[in-house]
Amino acid sequence: MLNGCANLSYYAQAVNGHMDVMRRAQPISGLINNPDIDPDLKRILSQAATMRKFASEELKLPANQSYTRYADLKRPYAVWNVVAAPEFSTRLKQWCFVKAGCVSYRGFFSQARAERYADQLRAAGYDVHVGGVPAYSTLGWFSDPVLNTFIHSELELARLIFHELAHQVVYVPGDTVFNESFATLVEQEGIRRWLFHKGKPEEYDAYQARRVMQTTFNTLVLDHRARLEKLFEADISDAEKRIAKAHVFNDLRAQFALLESGRPEFGRYQQWFVKPLNNARLATVSVYTQLLPAFRALLALQDGDMARFYTVVRAIGKLPSADRADALQMALRESRQNNLAGMIMQHPQ
């Protein structure tokens, strides 16, 4: 009964928070034509309108009212997500919700509420992380607006619009890795096509360089996460595990400092180390990219045709979990075989 009351309270804040967002939303077309609106905001919203049209026409994403309105929330993030992991595990705690299924986070429209909930989890012995999120998707149930939280740059705006619209195309309840990897692939392919459409290939090169840098950082974190997982399986006392766990986090900081000293561009990741390191923080890294290679292979097998790609992904999404994983791995193998055959044809002995 207590758990039921807690869930009712959580759903209430979610409903109230979302309705507040919707009440603030105004048609972008009206704001663009309003002479009293800040010129910089007009420019960004005009760009958003063009991106929205591009998303439907070129990326074959839903042609609906989502991202045709704008809401200023007067805060830096749309929601704050709470993630948690046991003291001696990197497996994230799961929460189950109506429609969304089970996910590895709990979102709040108030940072104070998120922090209070995080404190409860810490008191229960969990490693906890609270992070601000610039956007969320209602999966097409509502017309999601453009928010002030993600209009800081052209690529951030494009990234969020393409990513969140992708969730309206395919969403498998309870499979965060599948959903987010798919949406991230659509986001990345969308940005590539957008920048070439705008005649900005040099900006795509810079974007690619940032992705390579992100992969390098992710690999550093994942290596240390693997060390933690091995440690937690060891037959030693909890006290010994705590000491060794602290050593892994200290080593991660040291390895990053060494990386940054040789490559100053990695200074952009210093902010990641401001908050204390724990299992939950390390567990969140690369959740959105684990299946990216498989989805990229699947798109290649459809010759880059987005509509065909979505049809295949929908079909895979309807399969049981194990079969979904097998289908994606099969696509990855087939794509690699095709690439190998192509290389052989180009360079015959």
Side-chain angles (χ1 to χ4, degrees), residues 183-266:
T184 299
L185 183 280
V186 174
E187 160 199 322
Q188 292 182 357
E189 179 64 14
I191 286 176
R192 184 185 73 81
R193 297 188 187 195
W194 167 258
L195 289 176
F196 277 90
H197 171 75
K198 299 292 287 184
K200 299 177 177 179
E202 71 287 348
E203 289 192 23
Y204 182 69
D205 291 341
Y207 167 73
Q208 284 283 73
R210 288 193 297 273
R211 279 178 50 190
V212 170
M213 187 162 37
Q214 181 69 58
T215 299
T216 301
F217 177 77
N218 287 353
T219 300
L220 176 66
V221 175
L222 291 174
D223 287 346
H224 286 75
R225 189 167 85 193
R227 286 175 57 184
L228 285 177
E229 289 167 354
K230 186 176 180 180
L231 165 66
F232 297 149
E233 293 174 356
D235 186 18
I236 58 177
S237 69
D238 287 355
E240 290 173 305
K241 287 181 180 180
R242 290 188 184 99
I243 293 171
K245 176 180 171 181
H247 176 74
V248 171
F249 291 144
N250 288 337
D251 186 65
L252 173 55
R253 291 182 183 277
Q255 290 294 319
F256 172 75
L258 185 63
L259 175 65
E260 185 190 11
S261 67
R263 300 177 62 180
E265 65 270 24
F266 277 86

Coordinates of all heavy atoms in Angstrom, one line a residue, residues 183-266:
A183 N 17.2 5.5 -31.4 CA 17.0 6.9 -31.6 C 18.3 7.7 -31.8 O 18.4 8.7 -32.5 CB 16.3 7.4 -30.3
T184 N 19.4 7.2 -31.2 CA 20.7 7.8 -31.4 C 21.2 7.6 -32.8 O 21.8 8.5 -33.4 CB 21.7 7.3 -30.4 OG1 21.2 7.6 -29.0 CG2 23.1 7.9 -30.5
L185 N 20.9 6.5 -33.4 CA 21.3 6.2 -34.8 C 20.6 7.2 -35.7 O 21.2 7.8 -36.6 CB 21.1 4.8 -35.2 CG 21.5 4.3 -36.6 CD1 20.5 4.7 -37.6 CD2 22.8 4.8 -37.0
V186 N 19.3 7.4 -35.4 CA 18.5 8.3 -36.2 C 19.0 9.7 -36.1 O 19.1 10.5 -37.0 CB 17.0 8.2 -35.9 CG1 16.2 9.3 -36.6 CG2 16.4 6.8 -36.2
E187 N 19.3 10.1 -34.8 CA 19.9 11.4 -34.5 C 21.2 11.6 -35.3 O 21.3 12.7 -36.0 CB 20.2 11.5 -33.0 CG 21.1 12.5 -32.5 CD 21.7 12.2 -31.2 OE1 20.9 11.7 -30.3 OE2 22.8 12.4 -30.9
Q188 N 22.1 10.7 -35.3 CA 23.4 10.9 -35.9 C 23.3 10.9 -37.4 O 23.9 11.7 -38.1 CB 24.3 9.8 -35.5 CG 24.7 9.8 -34.0 CD 25.7 8.8 -33.6 OE1 26.1 7.9 -34.4 NE2 26.1 8.8 -32.3
E189 N 22.4 10.0 -38.0 CA 22.2 10.0 -39.4 C 21.5 11.3 -39.8 O 21.8 11.8 -40.9 CB 21.4 8.8 -39.8 CG 21.1 8.7 -41.3 CD 22.3 8.5 -42.2 OE1 23.4 8.2 -41.6 OE2 22.2 8.7 -43.4
G190 N 20.6 11.7 -39.0 CA 19.9 13.0 -39.3 C 20.8 14.2 -39.3 O 20.7 15.0 -40.2
I191 N 21.7 14.3 -38.4 CA 22.6 15.4 -38.4 C 23.5 15.3 -39.6 O 23.8 16.4 -40.2 CB 23.5 15.3 -37.1 CG1 22.6 15.8 -35.9 CG2 24.7 16.2 -37.2 CD1 23.3 15.7 -34.6
R192 N 24.0 14.1 -40.0 CA 24.8 14.0 -41.2 C 24.1 14.5 -42.4 O 24.6 15.4 -43.2 CB 25.2 12.5 -41.4 CG 26.2 12.3 -42.6 CD 26.4 10.9 -42.9 NE 25.3 10.2 -43.5 CZ 25.0 10.3 -44.8 NH1 25.8 11.0 -45.6 NH2 23.9 9.6 -45.2
R193 N 22.9 14.1 -42.6 CA 22.1 14.5 -43.8 C 21.7 16.0 -43.7 O 21.7 16.7 -44.7 CB 20.8 13.7 -43.9 CG 21.2 12.2 -44.1 CD 19.9 11.4 -44.5 NE 20.2 9.9 -44.5 CZ 19.4 9.0 -45.1 NH1 18.2 9.4 -45.6 NH2 19.8 7.8 -45.1
W194 N 21.5 16.5 -42.5 CA 21.1 17.9 -42.3 C 22.3 18.8 -42.7 O 22.1 19.8 -43.4 CB 20.7 18.2 -40.9 CG 20.6 19.6 -40.5 CD1 21.5 20.3 -39.8 CD2 19.6 20.5 -40.9 NE1 21.1 21.6 -39.7 CE2 19.9 21.8 -40.3 CE3 18.4 20.4 -41.6 CZ2 19.1 22.9 -40.4 CZ3 17.6 21.5 -41.7 CH2 17.9 22.8 -41.2
L195 N 23.5 18.5 -42.2 CA 24.6 19.3 -42.5 C 25.0 19.3 -44.0 O 25.4 20.3 -44.5 CB 25.8 18.9 -41.6 CG 25.7 19.2 -40.1 CD1 26.8 18.7 -39.3 CD2 25.5 20.7 -39.9
F196 N 24.9 18.1 -44.6 CA 25.2 18.1 -46.0 C 24.1 18.8 -46.8 O 24.4 19.5 -47.8 CB 25.3 16.6 -46.5 CG 26.7 16.1 -46.3 CD1 27.0 15.4 -45.1 CD2 27.7 16.3 -47.2 CE1 28.3 15.0 -44.8 CE2 29.0 15.8 -47.0 CZ 29.3 15.1 -45.8
H197 N 22.8 18.7 -46.4 CA 21.7 19.5 -47.0 C 22.0 21.0 -46.9 O 21.6 21.7 -47.9 CB 20.4 19.1 -46.3 CG 19.3 19.9 -46.7 ND1 18.6 19.8 -47.9 CD2 18.6 20.9 -46.0 CE1 17.6 20.6 -47.9 NE2 17.6 21.4 -46.8
K198 N 22.6 21.4 -45.8 CA 22.8 22.8 -45.6 C 24.2 23.3 -46.3 O 24.6 24.4 -46.2 CB 22.9 23.2 -44.1 CG 21.6 22.9 -43.4 CD 20.5 23.9 -43.8 CE 20.7 25.3 -43.3 NZ 19.6 26.2 -43.6
G199 N 24.9 22.3 -46.9 CA 26.1 22.6 -47.5 C 27.2 22.9 -46.5 O 28.1 23.8 -46.7
K200 N 27.3 22.2 -45.4 CA 28.3 22.4 -44.3 C 29.0 21.1 -44.0 O 29.1 20.6 -42.9 CB 27.6 22.9 -43.1 CG 26.8 24.2 -43.2 CD 26.1 24.5 -41.9 CE 25.4 25.8 -42.0 NZ 24.7 26.2 -40.7
P201 N 29.7 20.5 -45.1 CA 30.5 19.3 -44.8 C 31.6 19.4 -43.8 O 31.9 18.5 -43.1 CB 31.0 18.9 -46.2 CG 31.0 20.2 -47.0 CD 29.8 21.0 -46.5
E202 N 32.2 20.6 -43.7 CA 33.3 20.9 -42.8 C 32.7 20.8 -41.3 O 33.4 20.3 -40.4 CB 34.0 22.2 -43.0 CG 33.1 23.4 -42.7 CD 32.0 23.8 -43.6 OE1 32.0 23.1 -44.7 OE2 31.2 24.6 -43.3
E203 N 31.5 21.2 -41.1 CA 30.9 21.1 -39.8 C 30.6 19.6 -39.4 O 30.7 19.2 -38.3 CB 29.6 21.9 -39.7 CG 29.9 23.4 -39.7 CD 28.6 24.2 -39.3 OE1 27.7 23.7 -38.6 OE2 28.6 25.4 -39.7
Y204 N 30.3 18.8 -40.4 CA 30.1 17.4 -40.2 C 31.4 16.8 -39.8 O 31.5 15.9 -38.9 CB 29.5 16.7 -41.4 CG 29.3 15.2 -41.1 CD1 28.3 14.8 -40.2 CD2 30.1 14.2 -41.7 CE1 28.1 13.5 -40.0 CE2 29.8 12.9 -41.4 CZ 28.8 12.5 -40.6 OH 28.6 11.2 -40.3
D205 N 32.5 17.2 -40.4 CA 33.8 16.6 -40.0 C 34.1 17.0 -38.5 O 34.7 16.1 -37.8 CB 34.9 17.2 -40.9 CG 34.8 16.7 -42.3 OD1 34.2 15.7 -42.6 OD2 35.4 17.4 -43.2
A206 N 33.8 18.2 -38.1 CA 34.0 18.6 -36.7 C 33.1 17.8 -35.8 O 33.5 17.4 -34.7 CB 33.8 20.1 -36.6
Y207 N 31.9 17.5 -36.2 CA 31.0 16.7 -35.5 C 31.5 15.3 -35.3 O 31.4 14.7 -34.2 CB 29.6 16.7 -36.2 CG 28.6 15.7 -35.6 CD1 28.0 15.9 -34.4 CD2 28.3 14.6 -36.4 CE1 27.1 15.0 -34.0 CE2 27.3 13.7 -36.0 CZ 26.7 13.9 -34.7 OH 25.8 13.0 -34.3
Q208 N 32.0 14.8 -36.4 CA 32.6 13.4 -36.3 C 33.8 13.4 -35.4 O 33.9 12.4 -34.6 CB 33.0 13.0 -37.7 CG 31.9 12.6 -38.7 CD 31.4 11.2 -38.3 OE1 30.7 11.0 -37.3 NE2 31.7 10.2 -39.2
A209 N 34.6 14.4 -35.4 CA 35.8 14.4 -34.5 C 35.3 14.4 -33.0 O 35.9 13.8 -32.2 CB 36.6 15.7 -34.8
R210 N 34.2 15.1 -32.7 CA 33.7 15.2 -31.3 C 33.1 13.8 -31.0 O 33.3 13.4 -29.8 CB 32.6 16.2 -31.2 CG 33.1 17.7 -31.2 CD 32.1 18.7 -30.8 NE 30.9 18.7 -31.6 CZ 30.9 19.5 -32.7 NH1 31.9 20.2 -33.1 NH2 29.8 19.5 -33.5
R211 N 32.5 13.1 -31.9 CA 32.0 11.7 -31.6 C 33.2 10.8 -31.3 O 33.1 9.9 -30.5 CB 31.2 11.2 -32.8 CG 29.8 11.7 -32.9 CD 29.0 11.3 -34.1 NE 29.1 9.8 -34.3 CZ 28.7 9.2 -35.4 NH1 28.2 9.9 -36.4 NH2 28.8 7.9 -35.5
V212 N 34.3 10.9 -32.1 CA 35.4 10.1 -31.8 C 36.0 10.3 -30.4 O 36.3 9.4 -29.7 CB 36.5 10.3 -32.9 CG1 37.8 9.6 -32.5 CG2 36.1 9.8 -34.3
M213 N 36.0 11.6 -30.1 CA 36.5 12.0 -28.7 C 35.5 11.4 -27.7 O 36.0 10.9 -26.6 CB 36.5 13.5 -28.6 CG 37.2 14.0 -27.3 SD 37.7 15.8 -27.4 CE 36.4 16.5 -28.4
Q214 N 34.2 11.4 -27.9 CA 33.3 10.9 -27.0 C 33.5 9.4 -26.8 O 33.4 8.8 -25.7 CB 31.9 11.1 -27.4 CG 30.8 10.6 -26.5 CD 30.7 11.4 -25.2 OE1 30.5 12.6 -25.2 NE2 30.9 10.7 -24.1
T215 N 33.8 8.7 -27.9 CA 34.0 7.3 -27.9 C 35.3 7.0 -27.1 O 35.3 6.0 -26.3 CB 34.2 6.7 -29.3 OG1 33.0 6.9 -30.0 CG2 34.5 5.2 -29.3
T216 N 36.3 7.8 -27.2 CA 37.5 7.6 -26.4 C 37.3 7.7 -24.9 O 37.7 6.9 -24.1 CB 38.6 8.6 -26.9 OG1 38.9 8.4 -28.3 CG2 39.9 8.4 -26.1
F217 N 36.5 8.8 -24.6 CA 36.1 9.0 -23.2 C 35.3 7.8 -22.7 O 35.5 7.3 -21.6 CB 35.4 10.3 -23.0 CG 35.0 10.6 -21.6 CD1 35.9 11.0 -20.6 CD2 33.6 10.4 -21.2 CE1 35.5 11.2 -19.3 CE2 33.2 10.6 -19.9 CZ 34.1 11.0 -19.0
N218 N 34.3 7.4 -23.4 CA 33.5 6.3 -23.0 C 34.3 5.0 -22.8 O 34.0 4.3 -21.8 CB 32.4 6.0 -24.1 CG 31.3 7.1 -24.1 OD1 31.2 7.9 -23.3 ND2 30.4 7.0 -25.1
T219 N 35.2 4.8 -23.7 CA 36.1 3.6 -23.5 C 36.9 3.6 -22.2 O 37.0 2.6 -21.5 CB 37.0 3.5 -24.7 OG1 36.3 3.4 -25.9 CG2 37.9 2.2 -24.6
L220 N 37.4 4.8 -21.9 CA 38.1 4.9 -20.6 C 37.2 4.6 -19.4 O 37.6 3.8 -18.5 CB 38.6 6.4 -20.5 CG 39.3 6.7 -19.2 CD1 40.6 5.9 -19.0 CD2 39.6 8.2 -19.1
V221 N 36.0 5.1 -19.4 CA 35.0 4.8 -18.3 C 34.6 3.3 -18.3 O 34.6 2.7 -17.3 CB 33.8 5.7 -18.5 CG1 32.8 5.4 -17.4 CG2 34.2 7.2 -18.3
L222 N 34.3 2.8 -19.5 CA 33.9 1.4 -19.6 C 35.0 0.4 -19.1 O 34.7 -0.6 -18.5 CB 33.5 1.1 -21.0 CG 32.2 1.7 -21.5 CD1 32.0 1.4 -23.0 CD2 31.0 1.3 -20.7
D223 N 36.2 0.7 -19.4 CA 37.3 -0.1 -18.9 C 37.3 -0.2 -17.4 O 37.5 -1.2 -16.8 CB 38.7 0.4 -19.4 CG 38.9 0.2 -20.9 OD1 38.1 -0.6 -21.5 OD2 39.8 0.8 -21.5
H224 N 37.1 1.0 -16.8 CA 37.1 1.0 -15.3 C 35.8 0.4 -14.7 O 35.8 -0.2 -13.7 CB 37.2 2.4 -14.8 CG 38.6 2.9 -14.9 ND1 39.2 3.3 -16.1 CD2 39.6 3.1 -14.0 CE1 40.4 3.7 -16.0 NE2 40.7 3.6 -14.7
R225 N 34.7 0.5 -15.5 CA 33.5 -0.2 -15.1 C 33.7 -1.7 -15.1 O 33.2 -2.5 -14.2 CB 32.3 0.2 -16.0 CG 31.0 -0.3 -15.5 CD 29.8 0.3 -16.2 NE 29.5 -0.3 -17.5 CZ 28.7 0.2 -18.4 NH1 28.2 1.4 -18.3 NH2 28.5 -0.5 -19.5
A226 N 34.4 -2.2 -16.1 CA 34.7 -3.6 -16.2 C 35.5 -4.1 -15.0 O 35.4 -5.2 -14.5 CB 35.4 -3.9 -17.5
R227 N 36.5 -3.2 -14.6 CA 37.3 -3.5 -13.4 C 36.4 -3.7 -12.2 O 36.6 -4.5 -11.4 CB 38.4 -2.5 -13.3 CG 39.5 -2.6 -14.3 CD 40.5 -1.4 -14.1 NE 41.0 -1.3 -12.7 CZ 41.8 -0.4 -12.3 NH1 42.2 0.6 -13.1 NH2 42.3 -0.4 -11.1
L228 N 35.4 -2.8 -12.1 CA 34.5 -2.8 -10.9 C 33.7 -4.1 -10.9 O 33.5 -4.8 -9.9 CB 33.5 -1.6 -11.0 CG 34.1 -0.3 -10.5 CD1 33.0 0.8 -10.7 CD2 34.6 -0.3 -9.1
E229 N 33.2 -4.5 -12.1 CA 32.4 -5.7 -12.2 C 33.2 -6.9 -11.8 O 32.7 -7.8 -11.1 CB 31.9 -5.8 -13.6 CG 30.8 -4.8 -13.9 CD 30.5 -4.7 -15.4 OE1 31.2 -5.4 -16.2 OE2 29.6 -4.0 -15.8
K230 N 34.5 -7.0 -12.2 CA 35.3 -8.1 -11.8 C 35.6 -8.1 -10.3 O 35.6 -9.1 -9.7 CB 36.6 -8.0 -12.6 CG 37.6 -9.2 -12.4 CD 38.8 -9.1 -13.2 CE 39.7 -10.3 -13.0 NZ 41.0 -10.2 -13.8
L231 N 35.8 -6.9 -9.8 CA 36.0 -6.7 -8.3 C 34.8 -7.2 -7.5 O 35.0 -7.9 -6.6 CB 36.3 -5.3 -8.0 CG 36.2 -4.8 -6.5 CD1 37.3 -5.5 -5.7 CD2 36.3 -3.3 -6.4
F232 N 33.6 -6.8 -8.0 CA 32.4 -7.2 -7.2 C 32.1 -8.7 -7.2 O 31.4 -9.2 -6.3 CB 31.2 -6.4 -7.8 CG 31.3 -4.9 -7.6 CD1 30.7 -4.1 -8.5 CD2 32.0 -4.4 -6.6 CE1 30.8 -2.7 -8.4 CE2 32.1 -3.0 -6.4 CZ 31.5 -2.2 -7.4
E233 N 32.7 -9.4 -8.2 CA 32.5 -10.8 -8.2 C 33.6 -11.6 -7.4 O 33.5 -12.8 -7.2 CB 32.6 -11.3 -9.7 CG 31.4 -10.8 -10.6 CD 31.6 -11.2 -12.0 OE1 32.7 -11.8 -12.3 OE2 30.7 -10.9 -12.8
A234 N 34.6 -10.8 -7.0 CA 35.7 -11.5 -6.2 C 35.3 -12.0 -4.9 O 34.3 -11.4 -4.2 CB 36.8 -10.5 -6.0
D235 N 35.9 -13.0 -4.4 CA 35.6 -13.7 -3.1 C 36.4 -13.0 -2.0 O 37.3 -13.6 -1.4 CB 35.9 -15.2 -3.2 CG 35.4 -15.9 -1.9 OD1 34.6 -15.3 -1.2 OD2 35.9 -17.0 -1.7
I236 N 36.0 -11.7 -1.7 CA 36.7 -11.0 -0.7 C 35.6 -10.3 0.2 O 34.4 -10.2 -0.2 CB 37.7 -9.9 -1.2 CG1 36.9 -9.0 -2.2 CG2 38.8 -10.6 -2.0 CD1 37.8 -7.9 -2.8
S237 N 36.0 -9.7 1.3 CA 35.0 -9.1 2.2 C 34.5 -7.8 1.6 O 35.2 -7.2 0.7 CB 35.7 -8.8 3.5 OG 36.7 -7.8 3.4
D238 N 33.4 -7.3 2.1 CA 32.8 -6.0 1.7 C 33.8 -4.9 2.0 O 33.9 -3.9 1.2 CB 31.5 -5.8 2.4 CG 30.4 -6.7 1.9 OD1 30.6 -7.4 0.9 OD2 29.3 -6.6 2.4
A239 N 34.5 -5.0 3.1 CA 35.4 -3.9 3.5 C 36.6 -3.8 2.4 O 37.0 -2.7 2.0 CB 36.0 -4.2 4.9
E240 N 37.0 -5.0 2.0 CA 38.1 -5.0 1.0 C 37.6 -4.5 -0.4 O 38.3 -3.8 -1.1 CB 38.6 -6.4 0.8 CG 39.4 -6.9 2.0 CD 39.8 -8.4 1.9 OE1 38.9 -9.2 1.7 OE2 41.0 -8.7 2.0
K241 N 36.3 -4.8 -0.7 CA 35.7 -4.3 -1.9 C 35.6 -2.8 -1.9 O 35.8 -2.2 -2.9 CB 34.3 -5.0 -2.1 CG 34.4 -6.4 -2.5 CD 33.0 -7.0 -2.8 CE 33.1 -8.5 -3.2 NZ 31.7 -9.0 -3.4
R242 N 35.2 -2.2 -0.7 CA 35.1 -0.8 -0.7 C 36.4 -0.1 -0.9 O 36.5 0.9 -1.6 CB 34.5 -0.4 0.7 CG 33.1 -0.7 0.9 CD 32.5 -0.2 2.2 NE 31.1 -0.6 2.3 CZ 30.8 -1.7 3.1 NH1 31.7 -2.3 3.9 NH2 29.5 -2.0 3.2
I243 N 37.5 -0.6 -0.3 CA 38.8 -0.1 -0.5 C 39.2 -0.1 -2.0 O 39.7 0.8 -2.6 CB 39.9 -0.8 0.4 CG1 39.6 -0.5 1.9 CG2 41.3 -0.3 0.0 CD1 40.4 -1.3 2.8
A244 N 39.1 -1.3 -2.6 CA 39.4 -1.5 -4.0 C 38.6 -0.7 -4.9 O 39.1 -0.2 -5.9 CB 39.3 -3.0 -4.3
K245 N 37.3 -0.5 -4.6 CA 36.4 0.3 -5.4 C 36.9 1.7 -5.4 O 36.9 2.4 -6.5 CB 35.0 0.2 -4.8 CG 33.9 1.1 -5.4 CD 32.6 0.8 -4.7 CE 31.5 1.8 -5.2 NZ 30.2 1.6 -4.5
A246 N 37.2 2.3 -4.3 CA 37.8 3.6 -4.2 C 39.0 3.8 -5.0 O 39.2 4.8 -5.7 CB 38.0 4.0 -2.8
H247 N 39.8 2.7 -5.0 CA 41.1 2.8 -5.8 C 40.8 2.8 -7.3 O 41.4 3.6 -8.1 CB 41.9 1.5 -5.5 CG 43.2 1.4 -6.4 ND1 44.3 2.2 -6.2 CD2 43.5 0.7 -7.4 CE1 45.2 1.9 -7.1 NE2 44.7 1.0 -7.9
V248 N 39.7 2.1 -7.8 CA 39.3 2.1 -9.2 C 38.9 3.5 -9.6 O 39.3 4.1 -10.7 CB 38.2 1.1 -9.5 CG1 37.7 1.3 -10.9 CG2 38.7 -0.3 -9.3
F249 N 38.1 4.2 -8.7 CA 37.7 5.6 -9.0 C 38.9 6.5 -9.1 O 38.9 7.4 -10.0 CB 36.6 6.0 -8.0 CG 35.3 5.3 -8.1 CD1 34.6 5.0 -7.0 CD2 34.8 4.9 -9.4 CE1 33.4 4.3 -7.1 CE2 33.6 4.3 -9.4 CZ 32.9 4.0 -8.3
N250 N 39.8 6.4 -8.1 CA 41.0 7.3 -8.1 C 41.8 7.0 -9.4 O 42.3 8.0 -9.9 CB 41.8 7.0 -6.9 CG 41.1 7.5 -5.6 OD1 40.3 8.4 -5.7 ND2 41.5 6.9 -4.5
D251 N 41.9 5.8 -9.8 CA 42.7 5.5 -11.0 C 42.0 6.1 -12.2 O 42.7 6.6 -13.2 CB 42.8 4.0 -11.2 CG 43.7 3.6 -12.3 OD1 44.9 4.0 -12.2 OD2 43.3 3.1 -13.3
L252 N 40.7 6.1 -12.3 CA 39.9 6.7 -13.4 C 40.2 8.1 -13.5 O 40.5 8.7 -14.6 CB 38.4 6.4 -13.2 CG 37.5 7.2 -14.3 CD1 37.9 6.8 -15.7 CD2 36.0 6.8 -14.0
R253 N 40.2 8.8 -12.4 CA 40.6 10.3 -12.4 C 42.0 10.5 -12.9 O 42.3 11.4 -13.7 CB 40.4 10.8 -11.0 CG 39.0 10.9 -10.5 CD 38.9 11.5 -9.1 NE 37.6 11.6 -8.5 CZ 36.7 12.5 -8.8 NH1 37.0 13.5 -9.6 NH2 35.5 12.5 -8.3
A254 N 42.9 9.6 -12.4 CA 44.3 9.8 -12.8 C 44.5 9.5 -14.3 O 45.3 10.2 -14.9 CB 45.2 8.8 -11.9
Q255 N 43.9 8.5 -14.8 CA 44.0 8.2 -16.2 C 43.4 9.3 -17.1 O 43.9 9.6 -18.1 CB 43.3 6.8 -16.5 CG 43.9 5.6 -15.9 CD 45.3 5.4 -16.6 OE1 45.5 5.5 -17.8 NE2 46.3 5.0 -15.8
F256 N 42.3 9.9 -16.6 CA 41.7 11.0 -17.4 C 42.7 12.2 -17.4 O 42.9 12.9 -18.4 CB 40.4 11.4 -16.8 CG 39.8 12.7 -17.4 CD1 39.3 12.6 -18.7 CD2 39.9 13.9 -16.8 CE1 38.9 13.8 -19.3 CE2 39.4 15.0 -17.4 CZ 38.9 15.0 -18.7
A257 N 43.3 12.5 -16.2 CA 44.2 13.6 -16.1 C 45.4 13.4 -17.1 O 45.8 14.3 -17.7 CB 44.7 13.7 -14.7
L258 N 45.8 12.1 -17.2 CA 46.9 11.8 -18.1 C 46.5 12.0 -19.5 O 47.3 12.6 -20.3 CB 47.4 10.4 -17.9 CG 48.6 9.9 -18.7 CD1 49.8 10.7 -18.2 CD2 48.8 8.4 -18.4
L259 N 45.3 11.6 -19.9 CA 44.7 11.8 -21.2 C 44.6 13.3 -21.6 O 45.0 13.7 -22.6 CB 43.4 11.1 -21.3 CG 42.6 11.3 -22.6 CD1 43.3 10.6 -23.8 CD2 41.2 10.7 -22.5
E260 N 44.1 14.0 -20.6 CA 43.9 15.5 -20.9 C 45.2 16.2 -21.0 O 45.3 17.2 -21.8 CB 43.1 16.0 -19.7 CG 42.7 17.5 -19.9 CD 42.1 18.1 -18.7 OE1 42.2 17.5 -17.6 OE2 41.6 19.2 -18.8
S261 N 46.2 15.8 -20.3 CA 47.5 16.5 -20.3 C 48.1 16.4 -21.7 O 48.8 17.3 -22.1 CB 48.5 15.9 -19.3 OG 48.8 14.5 -19.6
G262 N 47.9 15.3 -22.4 CA 48.4 15.1 -23.8 C 47.4 15.6 -24.8 O 47.9 15.9 -26.0
R263 N 46.2 15.7 -24.5 CA 45.2 16.2 -25.5 C 44.2 17.2 -24.8 O 43.2 16.8 -24.2 CB 44.4 15.0 -26.0 CG 45.3 14.0 -26.7 CD 44.5 12.8 -27.2 NE 43.5 13.1 -28.2 CZ 42.7 12.2 -28.8 NH1 42.8 10.9 -28.5 NH2 41.8 12.6 -29.7
P264 N 44.6 18.5 -24.8 CA 43.8 19.5 -24.1 C 42.3 19.6 -24.4 O 41.5 20.0 -23.7 CB 44.5 20.8 -24.4 CG 45.9 20.4 -24.8 CD 45.7 19.0 -25.5
E265 N 42.0 19.1 -25.7 CA 40.6 19.2 -26.1 C 39.7 18.3 -25.2 O 38.5 18.5 -25.1 CB 40.4 18.7 -27.5 CG 40.8 17.2 -27.8 CD 42.2 17.0 -28.2 OE1 43.0 17.8 -27.8 OE2 42.5 16.0 -28.8
F266 N 40.2 17.4 -24.4 CA 39.4 16.6 -23.5 C 39.1 17.3 -22.3 O 38.4 16.8 -21.4 CB 40.2 15.3 -23.2 CG 40.0 14.2 -24.2 CD1 40.8 14.1 -25.3 CD2 39.0 13.3 -24.1 CE1 40.7 13.1 -26.3 CE2 38.8 12.3 -25.0 CZ 39.7 12.2 -26.1

